[in-house]
Amino acid sequence: MSRDRYVDFLRAWAIVLVVLGHWLITALVRDPDGRITAPELLATVDWTQWLTLGFQIMPLFFLAGGHAAGGSWARARAAGNTSAGWLGRRALRLLLPVAVYSGAVLLAVGVCTAVGVDADTLALVGWAMGMQFWFLPVYLLLSALTPLLYAAHRRWGLRVPPVLGAVALVADALVVTVHAPYVGLLNYVLVWGVAYQLGFCWRDGLLTGRRSATRLAHPARVPLVPLAMAVGGGLAFAALVALGPFPVSLILVTGQSPSNTNPPSAAMLAWLVAQVGLSLLAAPVLRRLLARERVWRVVRPVGAASMTLYLWHMLPVLIVAAAFYLTGLAPEPVLGSAAWWGLRVPWLLVLGAVLACVVLALRPWERGLGVLYGRTVPDAGLRRAWPLWAGLAVDVAALTRFAVRGFAPDGRFPLLPALGLALGTVLVTVPRWTAAERLGQPGATRTTDRV
């Protein structure tokens, strides 16, 4: 089956908006003592919280991820591959670039700690370089659950997302009413799992009445399910914000309780449903646009570099901070003033240029990772998989720690999470070597199919 360009576009669009959103709300101030601080724009200028409705685009990333994972797992299952083999191959594609990025950041943290960099500055930088990691353990967990979720989809279809959503609403009610934070952790899987599960439904035509990757929707026909999702989700979000306890911001704001993202709330779930509905309504028009090769030549490289962009997009902020703020060259109008907003344009352009240079510089590393993946990818028919499961569990714990506390909590080197990520990544590759030994061929695998 040919790839659906629109699915790839959604992934690329989601990453671009995440990058632009983080850059837009990042504010830097040089204190009189020379230190750089980062005041929180969303907490300082209240109206900017409305901007998060446009920049909180991760529901589309999970939707596209579910669409791709459903097709990939269906093909793997039809070829006789095991769930462990399929998961190991997908997880390693994610973990190798994460390990390289984390290794580079941890090396820098270690050097800065050794030379006595200010602990508060180091903690801020470590947090900035790890804040995007919240997505990684959630996506790994959903990938691990894919065979179970897809089996539920095959049996119950469109009834599964509402059930997941209903359980998420119960968990959120407990968080809001009786302050049960650990119950709320379930919503990281349940709420984002709704978008992931909707990706299965979209791929199989349950949301639009046709297989999305094989036919263009008829331009004169408005699919009723996406329309109901867009309208119903939007109205539910408006009601929860206007009448309920939830804020409008779809990004974490310090001191705001309850939050719509930590954990994902009922309001986030409503916005997710609305956003998925809107994306499906827009699909016919955008598919016709993406069918033009000139347009696709622009979109395709962004999608191919999406993981690199996601991981490394805060490095340009540090480079620009060192070049212009530490030196006192950057103008610093009042945060949120007209002059400050006017300077956002050159700010974004400079950061974009620096990120383009970073991506170009990382290309040899990416080619090396491709070779390393080929040499370490787990066997697609893997059955003795305990090292894989143990490695994924350790990786999820380590990545969660980095997401919550950053790469330099309290200005110190995070030794245990660093060792955990290294150990977990190695364990994910162990089944490859054990499988090769059983086959009697060093480095052999049972299939060369790329997931």
Side-chain angles (χ1 to χ4, degrees), residues 199-396:
F200 298 161
C201 298
W202 179 29
R203 177 183 177 273
D204 288 347
L206 300 181
L207 298 177
T208 57
R210 50 181 55 80
R211 290 295 290 269
S212 61
T214 57
R215 284 202 209 154
L216 296 178
H218 192 282
R221 181 178 177 184
V222 178
L224 294 181
V225 174
L227 180 61
M229 292 173 65
V231 175
L235 291 175
F237 177 81
L240 288 167
V241 170
L243 305 176
F246 301 101
V248 70
S249 178
L250 294 173
I251 295 176
L252 180 64
V253 178
T254 300
Q256 202 171 68
S257 182
S259 165
N260 284 327
T261 59
N262 187 29
S265 69
M268 176 64 81
L269 178 60
W271 190 251
L272 179 155
V273 171
Q275 197 172 91
V276 170
L278 288 172
S279 69
L280 297 183
L281 291 174
V285 173
L286 290 175
R287 279 202 177 99
R288 288 195 294 274
L289 185 62
L290 293 167
R292 301 175 183 177
E293 289 303 317
R294 285 183 297 180
V295 176
W296 183 240
R297 281 197 295 269
V298 175
V299 174
R300 185 176 181 179
V302 177
S306 59
M307 194 62 185
T308 302
L309 295 173
Y310 186 79
L311 288 173
W312 293 89
H313 73 274
M314 290 304 289
L315 178 60
V317 175
L318 302 184
I319 294 173
V320 171
F324 294 99
Y325 283 85
L326 283 178
T327 59
L329 295 176
E332 295 189 43
V334 176
L335 181 65
S337 66
W340 188 87
W341 284 108
L343 287 172
R344 291 288 91 180
V345 175
W347 165 259
L348 294 177
L349 291 175
V350 170
L351 291 178
V354 175
L355 182 58
C357 294
V358 171
V359 171
L360 288 174
L362 289 171
R363 280 187 175 177
W365 287 92
E366 291 180 341
R367 288 192 291 269
L369 285 178
V371 174
L372 182 61
Y373 175 83
R375 293 177 177 176
T376 58
V377 59
D379 180 55
L382 179 67
R383 297 191 182 279
R384 295 181 59 188
W386 69 263
L388 170 69
W389 296 110
L392 287 176
V394 174
D395 280 329
V396 166

Side-chain angles (χ1 to χ4, degrees), residues 27-52:
L28 299 178
V29 174
R30 186 175 187 270
D31 292 337
D33 61 2
R35 291 194 305 171
I36 305 298
T37 57
E40 191 173 352
L41 178 66
L42 298 179
T44 306
V45 185
D46 290 344
W47 69 264
T48 59
Q49 295 182 26
W50 288 92
L51 298 177
T52 65

Side-chain angles (χ1 to χ4, degrees), residues 88-172:
R89 296 162 80 85
R90 289 184 71 85
L92 196 61
R93 282 197 182 279
L94 184 71
L95 290 172
L96 286 180
V98 169
V100 170
Y101 172 82
S102 301
V105 175
L106 289 168
L107 176 62
V109 169
V111 171
C112 290
T113 303
V115 300
V117 172
D118 175 72
D120 291 339
T121 301
L122 189 56
L124 176 62
V125 171
W127 171 83
M129 298 300 283
M131 67 177 184
Q132 71 271 37
F133 268 37
W134 73 266
F135 160 80
L136 300 171
V138 176
Y139 201 80
L140 283 173
L141 286 171
L142 288 173
S143 296
L145 292 171
T146 293
L148 178 63
L149 294 174
Y150 194 75
H153 163 74
R154 296 277 294 180
R155 182 167 183 177
W156 293 296
L158 267 177
R159 286 173 285 183
V160 179
V163 170
L164 291 177
V167 178
L169 292 177
V170 172
D172 193 46

